[in-house]
Amino acid sequence: PLKVGDDTYNWLQHSQLSGKSDDVRLVLKGPLDRFPFDKGGGKFEVAIKMVNGVLDYAPGWPRIEGVNGRLVFHDIAMTLNADSGRILDARLGPVKVSIPDLHSGLEEMLIINGQASGESRAFLDFIRRSPVNEHTGRFTEPFKAVGAGKLDLNLLIPLRRIDAATLSGRYAFEDNRLDPGGDLPELGGMTGSVQFTQSALQAKDIRAQVLGLPVLLNIDSAAAGGKDARQLRVHLNGEIGAAALKPYLPAELLGKVSGSTRWQADVGMNASGRSGLVLSSDLLGLAINLPAPLGKSAALAVPLRVSKDTAEGSTETDEVFARYGELLSLRAQLPKAAPARVHLHFGAEAASAPSEAGLTISGAMRRLDLDAWRQSFSGGESHASGDTARLPLREVSVTFNELQLMQRRLTDTHVRLRPAGTGWRVVMTGREIVGEVVTIPDRDKIGILANFKRLSLPEAVPVQSLTPVQPAASSADDMLSDHLSSLDLSADSIVWPGRELGELHLRLAPDLQG
């Protein structure tokens, strides 16, 4: 009828793309000057049985195809009740499409309410191929899903302002698998539901598995604000034990971690390829059998926090920051096409950005027993792999209140170590030792050049075994004979044992006749 508004008339002309009917019924009763009888006085109804119809309800939104149902124009309204149909690969039914006021409304409104069931990939495809994709920052584009679910959908479209359409719904799923893309882990066994609008997505207490571990996860795209307003945020929490940690631990820590602990993770992602991760735990319940200061009992809580993000201005470099209590922190830059840069800092101060490729170590420690650390890792089988390149050590610059080395206890000592040719140069400044040592590799042993301004050798301290089954550390004499090929030592002042002995020059070389 010509009294239908232009926008509504155009929609009626162009949205019903195809279909057929073998049952059309018209009722028109009453004075035509009172049409459309919105104030009474007559009746108008056109009822059409629709078979295999196609409804292109709004530009930019996926069509509803294969519609089988009943289309009715009654008085001032239009209603389509579809028993079946499909959007993309999702099966629809039942679905109700209505325009409550075809004639006199200030703004004709198209309302779609319905249910659908099918593969989860179809649900993601609906987001990608509708305006929802742009409204949500395209953060679901990398997602790949395996599994099925059920969708409740409510769509409100102003026919004069189709770009102002609003959407709400709920998608329920069971035992799905989701690959978020990038370097984020796959989520398996996902069971729960997601609520969404045209611009936001939320979910609470979804059960899933990450790396084989059960987790609960919450999803929220509306929580972010400001420049990250289109970022999807995922919060996970779960528990992990030593056995599950084993594949992700350095070979040297195998067998030295026991128990289990709770953990939480927050993941942020968007369509630009940037993804951020913050992992935290108090490590309560997890025992780490290492010497001080890194070891801990299961009853001791030490906060651990690890964050990973894409470097600002670059999608080719990942940045990692980690902190273990107030003991140490680590900052790493991991370019995809260049060597890694890592800075490990001991102390409460956060590690700064590394300046060169390789590993840099800095900071201050109250006490370090190198003999205990050597004992902790002695006798273990080598896990080195020929195809695994270790991170090259670039520099060590650490101050120790107390440093135990070769059964000697040094105090207030600063140690600086850097590569020198194929060996190392060590500069030590402290109460007992002031000078430098240079190592020179010689086949399977090393030669040492040592030059000291002051060399005061404290009394040897007894070595305590870490566990009853571990052998005591070998003596300093045994270590020297096993590993040294030569020793060239000069000291302007040597003190031993507690006596000033003056200047010393010492050269040791193997006895080839022996």
Side-chain angles (χ1 to χ4, degrees):
L2 294 180
K3 287 191 176 183
V4 172
D6 290 342
D7 295 287
T8 305
Y9 182 80
N10 289 332
W11 184 87
L12 291 171
Q13 286 286 94
H14 298 104
S15 65
Q16 316 277 342
L17 296 187
S18 64
K20 62 180 181 178
S21 177
D22 56 5
D23 186 355
V24 179
R25 303 183 184 188
L26 168 66
V27 175
L28 179 60
K29 182 179 180 180
L32 295 181
D33 60 353
R34 303 188 66 177
F35 181 85
F37 313 118
D38 53 322
K39 294 181 175 59
K43 181 179 180 180
F44 169 70
E45 180 179 289
V46 178
I48 304 168
K49 180 183 178 182
M50 182 180 290
V51 178
N52 201 26
V54 175
L55 184 65
D56 189 7
Y57 51 91
W61 293 83
R63 297 174 177 177
I64 300 178
E65 300 177 316
V67 179
N68 296 304
R70 185 174 177 82
L71 176 63
V72 179
F73 294 90
H74 50 99
D75 299 330
I76 63 172
M78 182 210 80
T79 302
L80 169 61
N81 287 297
D83 299 321
S84 63
R86 66 181 182 274
I87 293 183
L88 302 175
D89 290 332
R91 298 182 304 277
L92 293 175
V95 173
K96 181 179 180 180
V97 180
S98 64
I99 301 176
D101 191 340
L102 291 164
H103 300 270
S104 56
L106 295 177
E107 185 170 51
E108 300 87 350
M109 197 69 66
L110 174 67
I111 302 171
I112 301 177
N113 296 304
Q115 297 178 339
S117 60
E119 298 293 321
S120 294
R121 59 177 176 79
F123 170 65
L124 293 175
D125 202 21
F126 175 82
I127 293 177
R128 295 187 190 103
R129 294 170 62 176
S130 72
V132 176
N133 199 36
E134 287 298 325
H135 282 299
T136 56
R138 307 189 312 277
F139 55 69
T140 61
E141 281 188 352
F143 289 10
K144 296 179 182 178
V146 176
K150 293 184 178 180
L151 172 68
D152 290 310
L153 183 67
N154 304 286
L155 186 59
L156 190 63
I157 303 176
L159 293 182
R160 301 185 189 185
R161 297 181 301 115
I162 288 179
D163 58 348
T166 59
L167 172 75
S168 64
R170 175 179 178 270
Y171 186 69
F173 46 87
E174 184 174 357
D175 197 22
N176 274 219
R177 189 167 73 248
L178 176 66
D179 179 3
D183 53 2
L184 297 175
E186 184 178 88
L187 298 169
M190 292 184 64
T191 299
S193 64
V194 176
Q195 290 74 41
F196 58 91
T197 67
Q198 74 281 357
S199 59
L201 185 149
Q202 291 181 311
K204 289 186 178 181
D205 296 333
I206 293 178
R207 299 192 305 276
Q209 287 196 338
V210 177
L211 303 175
L213 301 172
V215 298
L216 283 179
L217 65 88
N218 297 330
I219 302 173
D220 192 352
S221 67
K227 65 179 181 179
D228 294 325
R230 292 186 175 184
Q231 188 177 62
L232 182 70
R233 297 187 181 275
V234 182
H235 177 79
L236 306 95
N237 65 81
E239 184 172 353
I240 190 168
L245 277 171
K246 187 176 179 180
Y248 311 102
L249 292 175
E252 293 80 4
L253 293 183
L254 297 180
K256 299 185 181 298
V257 177
S258 59
S260 62
T261 189
R262 299 291 304 177
W263 61 273
Q264 303 82 39
D266 289 285
V267 181
M269 65 186 75
N270 60 25
S272 66
R274 290 174 59 96
S275 63
L277 167 68
V278 177
L279 175 69
S280 61
S281 173
D282 60 9
L283 300 183
L284 194 63
L286 197 71
I288 304 175
N289 184 24
L290 290 175
L294 301 186
K296 64 173 289 294
S297 67
L300 179 65
V302 178
L304 172 69
R305 180 182 172 90
V306 180
S307 64
K308 175 184 172 295
D309 205 345
T310 306
E312 194 68 34
S314 170
T315 60
E316 299 300 317
T317 299
D318 290 331
E319 289 188 340
V320 176
F321 179 79
R323 180 182 286 281
Y324 180 66
E326 296 294 311
L327 299 174
L328 65 87
S329 61
L330 177 146
R331 194 178 299 275
Q333 296 176 351
L334 309 175
K336 291 181 172 59
R341 300 185 293 272
V342 180
H343 179 196
L344 179 66
H345 182 81
F346 289 95
E349 183 181 350
S352 60
S355 59
E356 58 181 337
L359 173 63
T360 301
I361 301 175
S362 66
M365 301 178 68
R366 293 182 61 184
R367 184 175 187 274
L368 180 65
D369 187 344
L370 285 178
D371 293 331
W373 279 88
R374 187 167 61 88
Q375 179 186 354
S376 178
F377 292 108
S378 65
E381 62 177 282
S382 173
H383 295 272
S385 171
D387 57 357
T388 303
R390 291 182 177 272
L391 191 67
L393 181 62
R394 293 303 182 194
E395 181 180 49
V396 175
S397 180
V398 181
T399 299
F400 302 91
N401 295 114
E402 184 179 303
L403 175 64
Q404 183 166 316
L405 172 65
M406 296 171 59
Q407 299 175 243
R408 311 287 173 172
R409 189 168 293 162
L410 308 178
T411 56
D412 298 334
T413 303
H414 177 261
V415 178
R416 186 170 187 265
L417 180 149
R418 284 191 67 89
T422 57
W424 299 94
R425 180 173 181 262
V426 184
V427 178
M428 303 180 69
T429 305
R431 289 187 180 183
E432 291 81 13
I433 298 179
V434 178
E436 67 176 34
V437 176
V438 176
T439 66
I440 304 171
D442 183 7
R443 296 185 177 87
D444 59 343
K445 296 186 177 183
I446 58 172
I448 291 181
L449 298 176
N451 188 6
F452 298 101
K453 292 182 178 179
R454 175 177 173 80
L455 179 59
S456 178
L457 298 177
E459 292 292 332
V461 296
V463 177
Q464 296 180 351
S465 178
L466 293 178
T467 63
V469 298
Q470 287 181 309
S474 58
S475 69
D477 292 341
D478 290 339
M479 190 179 74
L480 290 174
S481 62
D482 289 343
H483 300 288
L484 282 184
S485 64
S486 64
L487 172 64
D488 191 335
L489 184 150
S490 294
D492 296 341
S493 172
I494 183 167
V495 178
W496 181 75
R499 296 180 181 180
E500 180 69 52
L501 300 181
E503 189 175 338
L504 173 67
H505 298 280
L506 177 66
R507 287 186 178 181
L508 297 177
D511 182 1
L512 300 179
Q513 304 296 325

